[in-house]
Amino acid sequence: MIATTLNRRQEIEEKATLLFQERGYSATSMRHLALKLNIEAASLYSHIKSKEELLRGICFKMASLFFEAIEKVEQESKDSPAETVLRLSIVEHVKVITQDISASAVFLNEWRHLSAPYLEKFVLMRDQYEQKFMEILKRGSSGKEFIMMDEKLATQYILSSINWTHSWYKSSGRMNAEEIGHQLASFIINGLKNQNTELKN
Amino acid sequence: MIATTLNRRQEIEEKATLLFQERGYSATSMRHLALKLNIEAASLYSHIKSKEELLRGICFKMASLFFEAIEKVEQESKDSPAETVLRLSIVEHVKVITQDISASAVFLNEWRHLSAPYLEKFVLMRDQYEQKFMEILKRGSSGKEFIMMDEKLATQYILSSINWTHSWYKSSGRMNAEEIGHQLASFIINGLKNQNTELKN
DNA sequence: CCTACCGATCGGTAGG
DNA sequence: CCTACCGATCGGTAGG
């Protein structure tokens, strides 16, 4: 064994992420986690304070990555058409997800197990992120680039379709993250542009 | 109290569905469930065999509803264009979700806690359902109704965007299930029809 | 539907 | 990082 204890904390975080993804946060015990690291459960507490601290780390780290990505897009495409901003935001979002599928899955599925006040803070951040997408849509809508009846519904629709990448993306697949992002962006943008508003078939 | 014990089993299932949605399956204990029904945890076992039996009931009941809905669409629109079949499939899918948001949330988020052989059976059914959507897309694609590079990606995209209705649908909202379904169908179908295949922005 | 209870497991602490 | 252990809680059973 050429094990180094230098970044034991990081190892713990990685294994925890994998287990939380596979079994869910609640169904993962500290003994499961310890087993993966070949130590005793009690020993984990020399490196971390609690089980929830691990969940918090994952959820807020991913939240930061998503924010950094969209803020970078905002800065770099200040004067671009809404279509361009939306496309880039989608592509960067998908890239963040595919860079760490496990952490993204935990971020998307396990955040509700956070306790106060972290839960509230998390929900607030998520709402702010959704708001950023909604503002792009509003801008495209008022500029006649996009046609939509309900910006809120359109926002939820877009985020749903790009978030779920984590559940089926395979790094071994035919398309890389950027290609998937652009393909999804094309579906979405074309849907927003050529909206026929028929409400009965 | 004018309580009737006639359908105690059904009451248990309803409360279990709500708890599994709110807290997740693993984090819900039989004592939580018993508390909601004002009985002792042990008493639940006069009506049910196990906790997992409840989860199984919910997951497979919803699976059946989704299958019934799409099979009805298939029968009634045998010779229609793929666009029509896709639209109706989407609308009916959204209707099934909105008719029982809680059960749909459990179906979508908690199925992985099923154990063998039910887990395998469930995944098989889900794959078959996805296959039905993919076949509609393939038909529309070969008939030049739809333009897409990757039917598999398009299928995942569509199901993601319509499944997530459960997380934001409010029966008190401005749009009813049918309207939401048609609006989502319009986004999706227009996106599939007017596909510009640019892969770089 | 209840009381009484089972063995297993939980997150976490004390003290080295 | 370990041993030894804590009180709490888990899904479920026996027997009424």
Side-chain angles (χ1 to χ4, degrees):
Chain A
M1 293 290 248
I2 5 172
T4 161
T5 45
L6 252 182
N7 269 24
R8 199 55 160 161
R9 163 92 197 199
Q10 203 176 330
E11 276 187 81
I12 292 171
E13 288 171 359
E14 283 169 18
K15 296 290 185 193
T17 303
L18 289 172
L19 282 172
F20 292 169
Q21 175 193 25
E22 284 167 22
R23 313 176 53 114
Y25 175 74
S26 291
T28 300
S29 76
M30 298 309 270
R31 282 157 183 86
H32 291 136
L33 178 54
L35 195 67
K36 291 274 182 187
L37 294 151
N38 293 310
I39 58 176
E40 293 300 318
S43 306
L44 290 165
Y45 292 90
S46 324
H47 301 94
I48 60 163
K49 278 194 196 128
S50 68
K51 185 185 174 187
E52 198 187 319
E53 187 188 66
L54 288 168
L55 179 62
R56 250 182 346 246
I58 300 163
C59 289
F60 285 96
K61 182 195 70 183
M62 291 311 298
S64 297
L65 291 176
F66 284 116
F67 264 101
E68 285 167 22
I70 202 165
E71 279 162 3
K72 190 170 155 245
V73 170
E74 283 172 348
Q75 283 173 12
E76 292 179 0
S77 56
K78 261 193 172 58
D79 306 308
S80 308
E83 172 177 341
T84 306
V85 184
L86 181 58
R87 175 175 289 276
L88 287 176
S89 299
I90 289 168
V91 170
E92 295 306 314
H93 185 101
V94 171
K95 272 197 207 161
V96 171
I97 288 176
T98 56
Q99 266 154 33
D100 194 340
I101 297 283
S102 297
S104 298
V106 174
F107 168 84
L108 287 164
N109 299 322
E110 308 297 332
W111 59 269
R112 63 177 160 166
H113 295 109
L114 292 168
S115 60
Y118 303 100
L119 179 61
E120 290 74 12
K121 192 185 159 197
F122 181 89
V123 171
L124 198 69
M125 289 183 76
R126 198 197 50 179
D127 290 349
Q128 284 170 351
Y129 187 73
E130 289 182 9
Q131 197 64 35
K132 285 180 178 294
F133 271 83
M134 196 146 83
E135 275 156 22
I136 302 171
L137 295 187
K138 279 184 180 159
R139 190 155 72 80
S141 191
S142 64
K144 311 294 179 202
E145 281 184 79
F146 301 146
I147 306 159
M148 76 195 67
M149 299 174 49
D150 188 319
E151 282 100 359
K152 179 99 181 145
L153 184 146
T155 306
Q156 296 297 338
Y157 149 70
I158 291 171
L159 283 168
S160 301
S161 54
I162 63 182
N163 274 334
W164 236 237
T165 318
H166 84 265
S167 73
W168 51 267
Y169 176 76
K170 302 239 177 325
S171 54
S172 57
R174 292 194 288 100
M175 299 171 88
N176 64 29
E178 184 124 13
E179 287 165 345
I180 290 173
H182 274 288
Q183 180 63 63
L184 290 174
S186 295
F187 283 142
I188 290 165
I189 289 167
N190 285 302
L192 295 175
K193 285 165 81 173
N194 309 94
Q195 189 69 6
N196 75 42
T197 35
E198 84 177 292
L199 279 188
K200 297 289 162 193
N201 69 299
Chain B
M1 294 288 249
I2 7 169
T4 159
T5 46
L6 251 183
N7 268 23
R8 197 57 161 159
R9 163 91 197 200
Q10 203 176 328
E11 276 187 80
I12 293 171
E13 288 170 359
E14 282 169 18
K15 295 288 186 193
T17 303
L18 289 173
L19 281 172
F20 292 170
Q21 176 193 23
E22 283 167 24
R23 315 176 53 114
Y25 175 75
S26 291
T28 300
S29 76
M30 297 309 271
R31 282 158 183 84
H32 290 136
L33 178 55
L35 195 66
K36 291 273 182 189
L37 294 151
N38 294 309
I39 58 175
E40 294 300 317
S43 306
L44 289 165
Y45 292 90
S46 324
H47 302 95
I48 60 162
K49 280 196 195 127
S50 68
K51 185 184 173 186
E52 199 187 319
E53 186 188 65
L54 288 167
L55 179 63
R56 243 173 5 236
I58 299 163
C59 290
F60 285 97
K61 182 195 71 185
M62 291 311 299
S64 296
L65 290 176
F66 285 117
F67 264 100
E68 285 166 22
I70 202 166
E71 279 163 2
K72 189 169 156 249
V73 170
E74 283 171 348
Q75 282 172 14
E76 293 180 359
S77 56
K78 260 192 172 59
D79 306 309
S80 307
E83 173 177 341
T84 307
V85 183
L86 181 57
R87 175 174 290 276
L88 286 176
S89 299
I90 289 169
V91 171
E92 295 306 313
H93 185 99
V94 171
K95 271 197 206 160
V96 170
I97 288 177
T98 56
Q99 266 153 35
D100 194 340
I101 297 282
S102 297
S104 298
V106 174
F107 167 84
L108 287 164
N109 298 323
E110 308 297 332
W111 59 269
R112 63 177 160 166
H113 295 108
L114 292 168
S115 60
Y118 303 100
L119 179 62
E120 291 73 12
K121 194 186 160 197
F122 182 89
V123 171
L124 198 70
M125 288 182 78
R126 198 198 50 178
D127 290 349
Q128 285 170 350
Y129 187 72
E130 290 182 8
Q131 197 63 36
K132 285 180 178 295
F133 270 83
M134 194 146 84
E135 275 157 21
I136 301 171
L137 294 187
K138 279 184 180 160
R139 190 154 72 79
S141 193
S142 64
K144 311 294 179 201
E145 281 184 79
F146 301 147
I147 305 160
M148 77 195 68
M149 300 173 50
D150 188 320
E151 282 101 358
K152 180 96 181 149
L153 185 146
T155 306
Q156 296 297 338
Y157 150 71
I158 291 170
L159 283 168
S160 301
S161 54
I162 61 181
N163 274 333
W164 236 238
T165 318
H166 83 265
S167 72
W168 50 268
Y169 176 76
K170 302 237 177 326
S171 54
S172 57
R174 291 194 289 101
M175 299 171 86
N176 64 28
E178 184 122 13
E179 287 166 344
I180 290 173
H182 275 288
Q183 180 62 63
L184 289 175
S186 294
F187 282 142
I188 290 165
I189 288 166
N190 285 303
L192 295 176
K193 283 164 84 173
N194 309 93
Q195 189 69 6
N196 75 42
T197 35
E198 83 177 295
L199 278 188
K200 298 288 162 192
N201 73 298

